[in-house]
Amino acid sequence: MNGLLSLPRKSIAMLFLFTLLMGSLSATSTAFAAKTAAEWCEQGKNFIERKNYDKAVECYEKAIKLDSTYVDAYVGKGNAYNEKKDYDKAVSSYNKALSINPQYAYAFKGRGDAYFWKQDWTRALEDYTQAVTLDPGCAEGYKRRAFIYFGKGDMDQALEDYTHAFKIDPKDEETSMFMGMIYFHKKNTEAAIDLLTKKIPGGIESPEAYLIRGFSILSADEPNDADYEASIAYLNKALQLKPEYALAYNARGVMYANREDNTRAAEDFDRAIALDSKLADAHNNRGTIYYREEDFKSALAEYTQAVSLDEKNADAYRNIGDCYAQMGNYDSAIAAYTKAIDIDPKQKGAYNNRGIIYGKHGDYDMAISDFENVLSIDSDDSNAQKNLKIMRDMKDIIRSVGWTFKSNLNLHMEWNSSKNK
């Protein structure tokens, strides 16, 4: 088993988007003596812009007390809770708004944001789709939906949505960044350079542009040595322009790790962590280098740090399971694999490796179920095919001779091993 590396697509995209969405907002007018629900909502909006989210909630609640059907108060309250990162309360507020006005596009958009930050991609997609259907001018709805498609690897759909957003707001930097990334992925270099040159501060010579170009090369389905060399060259340029660029160090570390240059990879991950100790993917990736060196205790510490920073990091939980399995702590391994599956039901490696543990301890039905789940995700997975056959054969043998036991069996099953996500 090799630990899963976190490719830079998620970390670059998520952190870039997070910076844009959660960045500084300008302060506006001071509070005034509100008398109507609309006035309380205006005060709530002002408090949100000044990042005083508790006061904003109080204002919206006062608006609701004056008029319990004032839909904007519930939407504003949901917006405040989103800013507070209290996403469950945000969803509740948007639900109330939609119970009053089921056609309110921005209630769908706000609830989609809550699901987005909870990484409930399915519900977020549904809500963003409702938002842009009800209001085709909702650029943010198109952008967020595009970002989810981007993360899922559906570049055509992502580009279509970003194009819609670009037509609505051609000056939006985020839209241009991601469209440029997609054009690079699709080998349309001319279109990518045109967008990046015109829309990114510093143009094509900015460190951000070089980071995107380095990452986009790796987005090929099967990158080869030449792809890695080109990617590393772009990332070197990004670091030359911005020597303390944590994301670029993490990305370059992934390139080195994929080429089995663990020494350089470890150096880059260490540097990324030193520059940004909250970069969960860098901790996960550093753990993978420790794992390759069979330093499972250090690997486990890094993976644990990754999930403490990003509780939705299914790869890191899967890696925690692998560490516990190597250390013989099978109950903890099963718990970690189960957590990874709960977060990402398509984590076939977690299913496979959990199935092996079940099988080794005689839980054949549980093992068979896990291997079948792998094959429902990827019918060509050879490890799962082999493991499923072993389990079914073993179950038949035991049934035929009437044995009933559980023991630590050596069944020569195949662990799922992956160097990258």
Side-chain angles (χ1 to χ4, degrees):
M1 293 183 289
N2 286 312
L4 287 172
L5 288 167
S6 299
L7 289 183
R9 175 165 67 200
K10 184 174 78 170
S11 58
I12 293 169
M14 287 296 290
L15 288 176
F16 176 74
L17 185 59
F18 186 86
T19 299
L20 289 174
L21 297 178
M22 297 299 186
S24 60
L25 295 170
S26 59
T28 59
S29 60
T30 57
F32 57 90
K35 295 180 180 179
T36 67
E39 289 175 344
W40 279 117
C41 284
E42 185 63 27
Q43 281 207 30
K45 181 180 178 181
N46 290 341
F47 277 121
I48 287 178
E49 290 177 343
R50 291 152 61 186
K51 299 186 179 181
N52 192 337
Y53 307 125
D54 291 329
K55 281 290 187 182
V57 169
E58 290 178 11
C59 289
Y60 291 122
E61 288 177 343
K62 288 178 180 179
I64 292 166
K65 188 174 182 179
L66 287 173
D67 183 353
S68 62
T69 64
Y70 197 73
V71 68
D72 285 341
Y74 293 102
V75 172
K77 188 177 176 182
N79 294 342
Y81 280 130
N82 267 343
E83 296 289 353
K84 282 167 61 69
K85 302 183 183 180
D86 193 339
Y87 304 120
D88 290 333
K89 287 185 178 179
V91 168
S92 178
S93 294
Y94 295 124
N95 286 344
K96 182 63 177 178
L98 290 167
S99 73
I100 298 169
N101 181 0
Q103 303 298 309
Y104 199 3
Y106 282 86
F108 280 110
K109 188 268 176 185
R111 192 173 69 178
D113 289 345
Y115 287 135
F116 179 97
W117 294 114
K118 284 166 66 72
Q119 297 186 31
D120 186 341
W121 310 123
T122 300
R123 288 180 176 176
L125 275 174
E126 291 172 354
D127 276 355
Y128 291 141
T129 298
Q130 285 288 341
V132 300
T133 300
L134 292 167
D135 180 5
C138 182
E140 288 297 317
Y142 282 116
K143 284 166 54 180
R144 302 290 177 80
R145 191 173 71 171
F147 178 82
I148 296 172
Y149 285 130
F150 180 92
K152 289 176 174 289
D154 188 346
M155 298 300 174
D156 290 335
Q157 187 61 60
L159 183 59
E160 181 178 332
D161 274 0
Y162 277 127
T163 301
H164 279 298
F166 187 80
K167 289 178 180 177
I168 297 167
D169 183 6
K171 295 182 179 180
D172 185 80
E173 179 181 321
E174 176 196 332
T175 300
S176 301
M177 288 277 285
F178 281 104
M179 288 180 72
M181 293 174 74
I182 293 169
Y183 282 132
F184 271 126
H185 174 83
K186 295 170 74 68
K187 309 300 184 184
N188 190 342
T189 305
E190 183 177 347
I193 290 176
D194 181 65
L195 268 173
L196 296 178
T197 302
K198 292 178 179 178
K199 300 297 179 182
I200 295 179
I204 198 65
E205 295 300 319
S206 69
E208 290 77 15
Y210 278 109
L211 176 64
I212 291 170
R213 293 167 81 178
F215 154 68
S216 298
I217 287 174
L218 191 63
S219 64
D221 291 334
E222 295 184 4
N224 54 37
D225 285 343
D227 291 327
Y228 289 128
E229 287 288 351
S231 181
I232 289 170
Y234 282 130
L235 294 169
N236 287 344
K237 184 64 175 179
L239 289 167
Q240 178 183 338
L241 295 170
K242 189 175 179 178
E244 298 193 351
Y245 202 179
L247 284 175
Y249 277 110
N250 183 56
R252 193 176 67 177
V254 171
M255 307 304 157
Y256 285 134
N258 285 340
R259 300 184 67 187
E260 304 293 336
D261 189 342
N262 294 334
T263 300
R264 287 184 177 178
E267 291 173 353
D268 274 356
F269 296 142
D270 285 340
R271 182 61 175 154
I273 291 168
L275 291 168
D276 183 359
S277 62
K278 295 184 178 181
L279 188 54
D281 283 345
H283 286 284
N284 184 57
N285 295 338
R286 186 64 181 93
T288 294
I289 303 303
Y290 282 127
Y291 188 97
R292 290 180 179 181
E293 297 169 345
E294 299 187 5
D295 183 352
F296 302 122
K297 183 176 180 180
S298 296
L300 181 59
E302 291 292 348
Y303 293 144
T304 301
Q305 181 66 10
V307 298
S308 74
L309 294 168
D310 177 7
E311 62 183 14
K312 296 292 187 178
N313 194 324
D315 291 345
Y317 277 110
R318 148 73 197 282
N319 290 338
I320 288 172
D322 288 348
C323 281
Y324 279 129
Q326 291 288 355
M327 297 164 74
N329 188 342
Y330 297 116
D331 288 340
S332 294
I334 287 174
Y337 291 138
T338 301
K339 181 68 173 179
I341 292 165
D342 288 343
I343 296 169
D344 178 7
K346 292 189 177 182
Q347 265 279 342
K348 66 175 188 175
Y351 277 118
N352 184 81
N353 294 352
R354 187 177 70 175
I356 289 176
I357 295 175
Y358 284 140
K360 285 179 175 290
H361 290 81
D363 292 327
Y364 305 122
D365 289 333
M366 297 288 285
I368 288 170
S369 176
D370 273 353
F371 298 137
E372 288 176 340
N373 279 324
V374 175
L375 294 173
S376 72
I377 298 167
D378 180 2
S379 60
D380 295 325
D381 190 297
S382 59
N383 287 345
Q385 290 171 350
K386 176 180 178 180
N387 294 340
L388 181 59
K389 184 178 186 304
I390 290 172
M391 277 296 94
R392 285 175 172 167
D393 290 347
M394 180 58 66
K395 184 178 178 180
D396 289 343
I397 291 170
I398 289 175
R399 183 188 297 118
S400 68
V401 299
W403 291 347
T404 302
F405 68 90
K406 294 183 179 182
S407 62
N408 192 358
L409 301 173
N410 183 7
L411 300 175
H412 304 291
M413 289 184 287
E414 297 295 331
W415 290 90
N416 184 280
S417 176
S418 177
K419 288 188 291 185
N420 47 45
K421 185 179 174 185

